[in-house]
Amino acid sequence: MNRLEVLKDLPNIDPEHWRPIAVDDLVAPSVPRHPLRLLVLYGSLRERSYSRFAAQEATRLLQAFGAEVRTFDPTGLPLPDGADAEHPKIAELRKLAAWSEGMMWVSPERHGAMSAVMKAQIDWLPLSLGGVRPTQGKTLALIQVCGGSQSFNAVNQMRLLGRWMRMATIPNQSSVPKAFNEFDAAGRMRLSPLYLRIVDVCEELAKFTWLMRGRSGYLTQRYSERVESAAALSQRVNQDAI
């Protein structure tokens, strides 16, 4: 597919300055070249949701960078501990998380923090399943949208959670102030330095995810777990009560 075909749904991108990901510069020849598997989560249920619009814009960009992208719709997701893990929405979210090699979290800032909708999705991602940490070693990119002036409270909170979940959170991030000014009636983001920053975040997520492919297991390997049996680890991290 030529460059113009790839960018046909990205009117704000200047084809002259667009660069595909140089995969061979990031991974060894033996590493599989199938498309990156990226999961996008957004944190609002509003009909006109700017976090969803930003997530959709990021999805188009990530696809243009060659990734396979799936987005989770949080509508109908129970509150944490409000249902069993067999609930269809919880099972869907966990299946997507297991499928993915990296994630992007996009949240509105509400009362100086990430939204409850965003936090509920993160809380349903298990830290461990039978001694396996489903999020460990996956890459993570962060975006927030603001109703007023620019702040970084939501991305800072999500960065802390990504570290806690042992995810490789990329250095770049985006905060979109006065989001109501940045999207048109159709929900497409207008060209501005804020849009360019989201392009940068998507490009960096793609690069870091390629860089981690085939290496995340080694990078997250720990001495303390090598000396502990799998059975003992499973028993310790899956205690009924702490």
Side-chain angles (χ1 to χ4, degrees):
M1 188 179 297
N2 63 43
R3 185 175 301 187
L4 292 179
E5 182 68 18
V6 168
L7 301 177
K8 66 180 181 180
D9 197 28
L10 296 169
N12 291 332
I13 293 294
D14 183 346
E16 182 180 350
H17 299 289
W18 177 267
R19 299 290 184 274
I21 304 300
V23 176
D24 291 339
D25 292 341
L26 298 171
V27 297
S30 60
V31 173
R33 297 305 203 265
H34 59 269
L36 299 175
R37 301 187 300 271
L38 300 176
L39 171 62
V40 177
L41 306 180
Y42 61 89
S44 173
L45 302 179
R46 290 179 174 175
E47 182 177 352
R48 185 165 175 82
S49 164
Y50 297 111
S51 64
R52 187 178 75 250
F53 292 160
Q56 290 169 341
E57 208 67 55
T59 294
R60 297 182 188 100
L61 289 161
L62 291 168
Q63 289 171 336
F65 282 120
E68 180 183 354
V69 185
R70 299 182 185 177
T71 303
F72 177 73
D73 179 357
T75 303
L77 182 71
L79 289 173
D81 301 324
D84 294 329
E86 290 73 25
H87 186 283
K89 292 298 292 188
I90 300 168
E92 177 190 355
L93 175 60
R94 291 185 172 188
K95 183 177 180 179
L96 287 171
W99 165 85
S100 69
E101 297 174 89
M103 299 187 196
M104 176 174 284
W105 297 348
V106 187
S107 179
E109 181 172 314
R110 183 166 293 175
H111 299 308
M114 78 180 78
S115 69
V117 174
M118 188 76 245
K119 184 62 162 58
Q121 293 172 84
I122 297 170
D123 283 348
W124 277 119
L125 298 176
L127 289 175
S128 60
L129 284 173
V132 176
R133 292 179 171 85
T135 54
Q136 179 169 282
K138 297 182 188 292
T139 52
L140 175 63
L142 306 170
I143 295 174
Q144 77 170 71
V145 296
C146 309
S149 58
Q150 189 176 48
S151 78
F152 298 89
N153 293 317
V155 289
N156 287 340
Q157 279 192 325
M158 292 188 291
R159 187 172 293 277
L160 186 152
L161 285 169
R163 177 182 61 79
W164 184 262
M165 298 166 79
R166 297 189 60 80
M167 302 180 78
T169 309
I170 69 171
N172 216 336
Q173 62 186 27
S174 172
S175 174
V176 181
K178 298 182 179 179
F180 54 86
N181 285 331
E182 301 304 322
F183 296 87
D184 65 20
R188 295 303 303 266
M189 194 169 185
R190 298 185 171 96
L191 179 59
S192 73
L194 298 168
Y195 175 82
L196 299 182
R197 185 59 174 263
I198 287 182
V199 179
D200 290 347
V201 171
C202 292
E203 182 176 22
E204 191 170 288
L205 176 61
K207 288 178 178 177
F208 272 75
T209 308
W210 275 113
L211 195 62
M212 291 289 288
R213 179 175 283 180
R215 299 184 174 103
S216 62
Y218 177 72
L219 290 172
T220 57
Q221 187 184 95
R222 289 181 280 181
Y223 171 79
S224 61
E225 292 179 354
R226 292 198 299 271
V227 299
E228 185 176 21
S229 72
L233 175 61
S234 178
Q235 182 177 6
R236 176 170 61 80
V237 302
N238 290 291
Q239 298 178 68
D240 292 334
I242 297 178

